[in-house]
C-alpha cells in the first residue's frame, strides 16, 4: 500500500527505504530507545541498551531492556528480518527475564545502581522499590517476518506466551526526510472528550524529553534545581 505525505492540497509520494544493517541494527534501535512509548503505547522505564547478561554459562546481549511500572521486564529484539534462529535467541532473552532480579537489573543501568534505584522509585511513585515480576514481555521489532517465523510466533501467541510483534517500515520523501510506519497492536487513537460532569483525573504530571521520562535527578544535574528545594 503506497504512503503519501499531505502537502496542502497535494499528495507527495513516499519511497520505502530498503533497510540495511546501519538502518535497523543502529538507527531503528536508537529510535526505539528514545521513544519506547511510540513503539509500545506504554510508559516504560529504559534500563539498558545491548547489556551483557548471563544465564548459566551463556552470555546474552538483548538489544533493549526496560521495565514497566509493575516491575515487568520488557525485552526488545530489533532485526531487519526476523527468522527462526533470531526468534529462538529472543526466547532465550525472555528466559533470562524470568530469572533476573532487581539487583541485576540495577547493575545494567548505565548511570549505576544508586541512580537506578532513585530513578526507579520516582518512575513508580513509591518509596520502596517494586520488585521484579517473573513474567517478562518480549517485543520483536523488524521490517519483515518470514512465513515460518510468523507461524511459530502464532503458535506462541495462541499458547499465551507474552510476545508482541512490531513491524517497522521506513519511508523517505523527495527531500530525504524519513518517516516511520510503526505497525503495533496498541490503539493510538486520540482519547474522546470527557463529559462536562466528569471528575478530573488526578495523579502526577509526567514530563518527557526525547521519549524519556524526566526525573528530579535530571533537574538537579542540569542545575535547574538544588537538593532541598
Amino acid at each position: 500500500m503506497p504512503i503519501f505525505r499531505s502537502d496542502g492540497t497535494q499528495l507527495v509520494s513516499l519511497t520505502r527505504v530498503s533497510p540495511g544493517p546501519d538502518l535497523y541494527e543502529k538507527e531503528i534501535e536508537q529510535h526505539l530507545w528514545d521513544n519506547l512509548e511510540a513503539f509500545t503505547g506504554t510508559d516504560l522505564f529504559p534500563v539498558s541498551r545491548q547489556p551483557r547478561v548471563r544465564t548459566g554459562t551463556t552470555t546474552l546481549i538483548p538489544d533493549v531492556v526496560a521495565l514497566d511500572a509493575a516491575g515487568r521486564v520488557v525485552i526488545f529484539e530489533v532485526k531487519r528480518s526476523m527468522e527462526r534462529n533470531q526468534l529462538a535467541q529472543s526466547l532465550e532473552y525472555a528466559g533470562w527475564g524470568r530469572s533476573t532480579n532487581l539487583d541485576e537489573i540495577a547493575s545494567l543501568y548505565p548511570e549505576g545502581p544508586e541512580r537506578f534505584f532513585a530513578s526507579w522509585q520516582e518512575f513508580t511513585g513509591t518509596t520502596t522499590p517494586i520488585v521484579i515480576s517473573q513474567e517478562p514481555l518480549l517485543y520483536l521489532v523488524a521490517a519483515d517476518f518470514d512465513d515460518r517465523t510468523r507461524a511459530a510466533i502464532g503458535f506462541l501467541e495462541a499458547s499465551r506466551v507474552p510476545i508482541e510483534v512490531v513491524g517497522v517500515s521506513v519511508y523517505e520523501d523527495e527531500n530525504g526526510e524519513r518517516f516511520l510506519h510503526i505497525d503495533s497492536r496498541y490503539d493510538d487513537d486520540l482519547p474522546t472528550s470527557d463529559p462536562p460532569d466528569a471528575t478530573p483525573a488526578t495523579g502526577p504530571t509526567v514530563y518527557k524529553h526525547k521519549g524519556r521520562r524526566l526525573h528530579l535527578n535530571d533537574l538537579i544535574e542540569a542545575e535547574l534545581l538544588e537538593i532541598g528545594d
Side-chain angles (χ1 to χ4, degrees):
M1 176 183 295
I3 292 182
F4 299 88
R5 173 174 57 82
S6 176
D7 186 9
T9 59
Q10 301 294 320
L11 292 180
V12 179
S13 177
L14 301 180
T15 303
R16 184 168 180 175
V17 178
S18 298
D22 288 341
L23 179 60
Y24 251 86
E25 275 69 11
K26 295 180 181 178
E27 185 175 332
I28 298 301
E29 184 183 314
Q30 183 65 56
H31 284 309
L32 170 66
W33 175 254
D34 291 335
N35 305 276
L36 288 172
E37 188 172 356
F39 285 77
T40 66
T42 304
D43 191 18
L44 297 176
F45 180 84
V47 175
S48 184
R49 288 181 63 184
Q50 300 279 333
R52 301 178 69 87
V53 301
R54 293 189 65 82
T55 173
T57 59
T58 303
T59 299
L60 304 175
I61 309 177
D63 287 327
V64 171
V65 173
L67 295 172
D68 68 11
R72 192 179 200 185
V73 179
V74 185
I75 301 167
F76 296 84
E77 182 67 357
V78 182
K79 295 295 181 187
R80 284 180 294 167
S81 178
M82 191 68 65
E83 300 175 356
R84 288 178 299 158
N85 59 333
Q86 281 120 14
L87 173 60
Q89 186 178 57
S90 299
L91 292 174
E92 289 189 65
Y93 301 155
W96 164 79
R98 293 187 70 245
S99 61
T100 189
N101 55 60
L102 200 57
D103 287 335
E104 182 180 16
I105 292 292
S107 72
L108 304 178
Y109 200 58
E111 298 170 54
E114 184 175 348
R115 177 65 186 273
F116 167 83
F117 282 107
S119 298
W120 177 232
Q121 287 176 307
E122 289 181 38
F123 178 82
T124 57
T126 62
T127 56
T128 303
I130 292 177
V131 297
I132 296 300
S133 164
Q134 299 303 307
E135 298 182 0
L137 176 58
L138 177 62
Y139 274 89
L140 304 177
V141 181
D144 298 296
F145 296 82
D146 67 36
D147 292 341
R148 297 173 75 176
T149 302
R150 283 194 178 277
I153 292 172
F155 171 77
L156 295 172
E157 291 174 326
S159 302
R160 299 187 177 181
V161 175
I163 186 170
E164 295 285 345
V165 173
V166 180
V168 180
S169 302
V170 182
Y171 293 83
E172 199 171 80
D173 66 10
E174 72 280 6
N175 298 319
E177 184 176 1
R178 284 185 171 174
F179 302 81
L180 266 63
H181 176 229
I182 301 174
D183 186 9
S184 187
R185 292 183 184 179
Y186 79 87
D187 185 2
D188 59 355
D189 291 338
L190 292 175
T192 56
S193 299
D194 293 331
D197 57 348
T199 302
T202 59
T205 301
V206 175
Y207 297 94
K208 294 184 178 181
H209 177 62
K210 293 184 177 179
R212 178 181 176 274
R213 178 192 287 251
L214 292 176
H215 302 286
L216 289 178
N217 287 337
D218 296 312
L219 301 179
I220 293 172
E221 287 189 355
E223 298 183 352
L224 298 174
L225 195 68
E226 294 185 0
I227 297 176
D229 286 351

